[in-house]
Structure formats: structure tokens, C-alpha cells
Amino acid sequence: MTAHSGIFALASLDGAPLAPQNLRALGLPATPGPLVAEARDAAQPQAVHQARNAQGTTLLLGYFDAVEELAKSLKLPPQTPTALLARAALARFGSELPNIACGEWSLLQREPHGALTLMSSAARRDLLFYAQRGSTVAVAPSVHALGRLDWVDRTISEEGFLTGVGNFRLREAFGEQTILSGVRRVPPGGSVRFDGEGARPERARTPDLPPRFTGTIHDGVDQALQLLQCIVAERLGRLPGAAALLSGGLDSALIGWLLADANAQGKRLDFFCSVAPEASGLPDELALARKVADHLDLPVHGVAPDSEASPYRPAVHRFVQGNGPVLGARHYLYDALADGAAALGHTALFDGMFGELTVTGQMPLATPRLRLRQLARRMLGRRDPWLVSDLPQIIRLAPRRFEQLSKSLKAEVSTNSRDEIHPASPQARWPFPPGEIMRTGPPTELLPGRLRVEYPFRDQRLWRLFASFPASFLEHCGLDRAPVRLMLSGRLPEAIRLQPKGIGFSPDYDLRLKRHAPAARQRLAVFRKAQIDEWLDLAWLDATLGRIAVHGPQDVIEAQSAQLTAMAAEFLLWWREGEV
């Protein structure tokens, strides 16, 4: 059984004894009583907070941000234990708690009279799933763990499978479903309460937009930088040391500087940079990463995944963690970077993901000059480069599977693109919807039991601040991505601060897809034997992998469609044959 962090529990709502076989299925001890519950985090045990007394059982896994402010709002001492703070906050704010207590956490509370509440923060740290039969409720961070219960059907749910491989809109439409019809998910910012009236899911309301920021761009940037310094200092303060991804790009360069600035105690910090395979001749960003690392007087380690690591066949722990098909195209690279960080004893890896929604947001402003350029491009039959087309379903389904879909689900899946993002008016608000992206972002466990990822740019406080900024802050004095460039002024070399957008995160991505395509194509016979073609269009995958093996992928859509379809086939095969 793969180690998993999260909340595991078995509860009897009416006080009846718990079945020993159900406790064993969840890896829980055979303890008497109507509730057996554990919060586990082998990599960061300090993230486990619990209170068990006559007032009930409260487990919180993760952290509240701004704990002193939360305690003050509840009229409690600032040193109040986190679990007791969570109990008081839940009693006060109920289902709105995810809007009040920022941070990355999951919560379980059992009240003395038997009611049970599960809740997840808006920025999720661990997944939270549940299954119910009669008065028994089972809880785990993994659908696979719940699938070991003899009363949970392990047949894959069609709608749950498609929801798991869809985009944000599709996941929102069928948000609580999982790949198992008898297992439900507590969505980010959501909760479910079990009592004598049944299970009642709730969602925290979408927060109102903050008042519009009225200061200058320099005022806003100063405020954002101070907030980021606080965010990174809070996170680093909970750790013995940390690793960080560093490419020399603006997101990772800012994270690197923030870590060095926050490291007053001299904790160990290591940077890791994705590099091209030796003797490949491919460009990478190690030279830029070294400029940042040298300036900060910190080490940087170049990492190239093993040449045998297939982009089409993820490691098994990816299936277990993802609770469905793997959607990350660079999973092989993240595994190599995570292994490097864990080998040096780190339990946390800082990542600049989501920076593009705030500090490094990039979008042209709708000025008269831009309008003229748009007109000229349209007259020449060219597409504006900043417009976004995002297939809601990039994995290729078997044609007959698509035809069998319900009308509502087919309408979601068959839509070819989402609304395009157009240039922003300088008078408008900051144009990105970070709240949506934050809710759909990944949980933080990267290597089970060994390593977590820290996403400072996903912090709710940061996106609320940027939601108050005008779109004009995107540019300043001819600089695109103005906020981050102003933040880094005088803090990192100008060659870093003023650089254009860098190269891809995985230097050999296209070549790796081409090199491994023949082996991936040979797997098709295994897939057909296992009847995976009931789900996926293996004929299309065969033809596409054949082209990629000769010419390489023609564009990013073909590359990811082929890769993610092959990975979905590997997941379905593993599900049918594997043992978790």
C-alpha cells in the first residue's frame, strides 16, 4: 500500500460498533468506539493538529495563515492550539470558514451527539473523499483506499472519469463526482455535514471583490511584495529547510529571492533546475538559474530525467495520488526534481506555479495602437497570439463512448473551446480569475510520505490583493509583467529582471515524446486485450503515435492529446490489474 498523507476515518453516526474489516481496509487500528480517525503526514508531522475531549474530536491537517488574527477575531489567546482554534472557528463561521481562515488545510470534526463534518480549504493541501452506507461514513484522501471497502463498487463511473480528465468548467459541472460512483469528493472551499438528516454538502460563497485599489503601481507593488515576504516567511518558518525550483524565469527568480530574504536563521536552501540531457545540444536555462543562485550565494543543482523515463507511462504513485488519470505532461521531470530534493533531506519544494495569475500576469492592454495591430492581423488572416483556446476534453474518447454520453455531459465535452481571453482595458480590474485556478490546482503532496510542494503564489491573500488592482498595472513604462519586474529592481541582476519569456520547462519534451512513441505504440496490443478501447480511441492513438515517432509532435495540442490519452490507457489498465 502506497503511503498517503491525509485524513482517514471510519465513523458510525448512530453509535453502532465499527466493522473490523472496514477499519483494516482503511489501515486504521481496531479501536473500540463509534469513531476511529487519524490525520497523517509522514513528511511533515508537525502539520497534524488534533483535539479529543468531551467536546468532540477535531482533526486539522495543514495550516491556517495569519493565526493570530484568526484567534483575535474569535477572542481567543494567540497561543490557542490549532485544533481548538479550528473547532471554535467552525462553530462561529460554519461553511464560510474557508473564506475566513486562509491557508491549505483539511478538517474533520465529530461532535459529542454524533454529527460529523468534513471541510476543505479553498487552496487544497490534501484531497478529501468519503463514502457512506447507512449510518457508516468512511473518509480517506484516496478513492483507492475507499475502493477497498467491500461495500464500494470499484466499477469506474463514466461521468466521474470524464470529470477527472476535463477542464475547470467540466469539473465544476460534476464537481463532487469521482471515478467511483459510490465515492464523493469534498471540493476545495466545500464541506459536508452528516447527521440524522443525511449528508448535506455546502460550498463557501464566492468572495466579493475587494475595494478597487486607488494607489500608484509602486504603492501596489510595495504592498504585494511585503505580503509575499510574509507568506514565504510563514511557510519557511514551519520547515527545517527547503528546496526550490529555479529556471532563471521571473516566477522562480522571485521565489528564490524571497526564500533567501526570509532565511534569517540560516536554514539549508537548495535550488533545482531542469537541464537538457548531457551531450544533447539542446538549450536550457541553467546559465540563467546560476546567475540567480550565485547572486543569492546559494547552490543550484541541474536535473535531467533518466532517458528511459517515458512520458507516456507515469510512475504508479502518480495514479494513486491523482485518483484518476495523470494530467501533468511533465510528470517524469517533476519526479526527478522531487527525488533530487528528497535525497538531500528536504520535505518541501517551493514552486512558482500560479505566478502568472498575479505577479507575472501578462496580457496586452487594449490601447489604440493594439487595436490597429489586431485589425492588421485579421486582414492578413492571422490569429492574435494572446487569445486562448483550451479544449475541455483533450483525451480522445472512443467514438461509441462519446455517442453514449448523456446530453448534458456531451454538451460539456463537445465544446471545442472556452471563452477567449481578450486584451484588457487599462481601466478594468486585474483580468485573471485566480480563484478559479486556485480551486482546481493540485494538492501539495508530491512524493508520498516524503515531499510536499509549496505554492506561495496560490495564497488567497495575494490573489485578493491583485483582484483589487487595475489592469493598467500589467504594464509600466513599456515593461510587460510590470509587478514582478518592479519587485526585482535592485534585488537581482538586470539580466534576470528584464529578460523575455524563457524556454520550455522540459528542454527535451518534444524529443522525448518522439523517442518513446514506438514503445508506447507497442502497448496498444495490451490495451486492446484489456478492452481499453471501450473507453479510448486507440485507432486514433495508434495513427498519432506513428506520426510522432517519425516527425515528432506537430503542435502542443497533438503532443498533449497523444500523451494524455496514452497515460489514461495506462491508468485504466493499472486499475483493472493493479492492487493498491
Side-chain angles (χ1 to χ4, degrees), residues 147-369:
R148 289 194 294 268
L149 296 166
D150 56 15
W151 43 273
V152 171
D153 184 0
R154 280 183 57 85
T155 302
I156 291 180
S157 157
E158 180 176 77
E159 290 189 349
F161 176 82
L162 294 173
T163 299
V165 299
N167 70 355
F168 168 75
R169 187 182 62 207
L170 193 62
R171 288 193 291 271
E172 283 292 285
F174 303 92
E176 295 179 11
Q177 297 187 14
T178 71
I179 59 171
L180 298 182
S181 58
V183 175
R184 288 291 181 265
R185 174 179 70 111
V186 179
S191 61
V192 59
R193 178 179 171 84
F194 306 88
D195 54 24
E197 299 179 11
R200 298 201 303 275
E202 293 188 84
R203 274 275 189 108
R205 64 178 178 82
T206 301
D208 296 331
L209 283 174
R212 187 181 175 91
F213 190 81
T214 58
T216 68
I217 187 172
H218 296 285
D219 297 331
V221 166
D222 287 346
Q223 191 171 332
L225 181 59
Q226 290 174 21
L227 177 55
L228 275 169
Q229 288 174 298
C230 173
I231 290 168
V232 172
E234 282 178 352
R235 292 171 180 250
L236 184 59
R238 301 190 287 246
L239 301 166
L245 300 181
L246 183 64
S247 65
L250 293 172
D251 304 275
S252 65
L254 178 57
I255 292 291
W257 182 85
L258 288 165
L259 280 168
D261 178 69
N263 194 23
Q265 296 179 339
K267 298 179 179 181
R268 177 168 184 172
L269 299 178
D270 289 280
F271 293 139
F272 288 85
C273 180
S274 165
V275 301
E278 191 174 354
S280 69
L282 295 170
D284 60 34
E285 295 184 298
L286 184 58
L288 288 173
R290 280 183 174 147
K291 282 187 179 181
V292 176
D294 291 347
H295 185 84
L296 300 174
D297 195 25
L298 290 168
V300 60
H301 311 274
V303 174
D306 189 282
S307 62
E308 297 304 309
S310 170
Y312 302 103
R313 296 188 69 180
V316 168
H317 76 84
R318 289 279 177 177
F319 295 145
V320 178
Q321 287 174 280
N323 295 281
V326 176
L327 299 182
R330 274 76 171 176
H331 56 87
Y332 57 91
L333 176 54
Y334 265 101
D335 284 348
L337 291 164
D339 285 337
L344 295 182
H346 292 297
T347 60
L349 179 68
F350 279 73
D351 190 333
M353 189 183 294
F354 307 107
E356 67 275 10
L357 301 173
T358 52
V359 294
T360 59
Q362 186 173 22
M363 180 184 292
L365 295 176
T367 60
R369 181 179 178 184

Side-chain angles (χ1 to χ4, degrees), residues 425-569:
S425 165
Q427 291 75 38
R429 291 264 191 159
W430 190 259
F432 299 101
E436 293 183 359
I437 305 299
M438 181 181 66
R439 290 199 302 272
T440 58
T444 66
E445 192 171 38
L446 186 54
L447 288 182
R450 298 175 62 201
L451 189 75
R452 285 191 174 272
V453 188
E454 298 282 347
Y455 298 113
F457 294 139
R458 190 169 66 172
D459 193 288
Q460 288 173 271
R461 294 168 291 179
L462 183 68
W463 73 256
R464 286 177 182 173
L465 173 61
F466 269 80
S468 74
F469 288 167
S472 60
F473 283 12
L474 287 162
E475 297 181 3
H476 178 69
C477 296
L479 288 176
D480 68 331
R481 293 176 286 174
V484 70
R485 297 190 195 277
L486 292 175
M487 286 179 186
L488 293 178
S489 180
R491 296 182 172 92
L492 286 179
E494 289 293 277
I496 297 297
R497 186 178 80 92
L498 298 178
Q499 66 171 303
K501 194 168 181 64
I503 63 175
F505 177 51
S506 176
D508 71 333
Y509 176 65
D510 285 354
L511 286 179
R512 189 176 289 264
L513 287 178
K514 180 180 179 181
R515 189 171 66 251
H516 285 271
R521 200 177 182 191
Q522 291 177 2
R523 299 281 294 166
L524 293 172
V526 180
F527 299 153
R528 290 191 178 99
K529 185 176 180 180
Q531 298 181 324
I532 304 301
D533 50 359
E534 293 178 358
W535 286 92
L536 304 173
D537 191 344
L538 297 186
W540 173 89
L541 183 59
D542 189 6
T544 305
L545 288 173
R547 287 196 303 273
I548 291 175
V550 176
H551 305 292
Q554 62 181 358
D555 56 33
V556 66
I557 294 297
E558 181 179 76
Q560 293 199 4
S561 292
Q563 184 189 7
L564 269 63
T565 301
M567 292 196 296

Side-chain angles (χ1 to χ4, degrees), residues 4-10 25-26 28 38 40 108 118 126-131 137-149 183-186 323:
H4 235 298
S5 295
I7 293 177
F8 294 79
L10 192 67
L26 297 177
L28 290 168
E38 293 182 353
R40 304 172 187 167
L108 176 148
L118 306 175
D126 294 282
L127 298 170
L128 197 56
F129 300 100
Y130 64 93
V137 178
V139 182
S142 161
V143 296
H144 310 292
L146 294 173
R148 289 194 294 268
L149 296 166
V183 175
R184 288 291 181 265
R185 174 179 70 111
V186 179
N323 295 281

